[in-house]
Amino acid sequence: MNTFMQLQNEAIRLQNADVPVDSDEGLKFAKAYWDMITDFTGGDMSMLPRLIALGQFQNADHKGKEVQDIANGYVEQALGVYFSRLGIEPFQGESEEEAE
């Protein structure tokens, strides 16, 4: 959970500093975030929907939700560029509803 919080704070810092998601720093962040996810899930992508749901409930208060929304916006964009550069689609086969 500490790693998740550190990466969430880093996403907010990058967002506030207007660091492009396709920059070296943005891609380095995306790799670190994805590594955290794969370490946590042990590579079992079927756990992603539950992990995402857990992350959304972690900050139940209004201010926490706003902070998480800012972080998630950067995370989603950075991961999108990261996966595109790698030529992979890790969520392939999931419905949009499951991914949310």
Side-chain angles (χ1 to χ4, degrees):
M1 192 55 101
N2 286 337
T3 302
F4 173 77
M5 294 304 295
Q6 289 171 350
L7 287 170
Q8 182 176 351
N9 290 337
E10 179 66 359
I12 293 167
R13 185 193 70 76
L14 293 168
Q15 175 73 29
N16 289 340
D18 292 324
V19 174
V21 294
D22 61 349
S23 68
D24 287 343
E25 192 174 6
L27 292 170
K28 181 179 174 184
F29 167 80
K31 180 182 183 329
Y33 198 90
W34 187 245
D35 287 348
M36 177 210 45
I37 290 172
T38 55
D39 286 347
F40 182 82
T41 63
D44 181 358
M45 294 300 110
S46 69
M47 292 179 65
L48 280 177
R50 285 189 277 160
L51 182 60
I52 292 167
L54 175 67
Q56 291 173 348
F57 287 110
Q58 182 224 329
N59 289 317
D61 68 334
H62 182 69
K63 181 164 174 45
K65 175 99 172 87
E66 286 178 14
V67 168
Q68 189 165 4
D69 287 345
I70 292 167
N72 287 347
Y74 193 88
V75 168
E76 289 171 11
Q77 291 177 38
L79 286 176
V81 171
Y82 178 71
F83 296 141
S84 175
R85 297 260 175 106
L86 291 177
I88 61 171
E89 293 184 37
F91 305 107
Q92 190 172 19
E94 271 187 33
S95 71
E96 243 181 71
E97 190 174 285
E98 286 177 316
E100 289 181 0

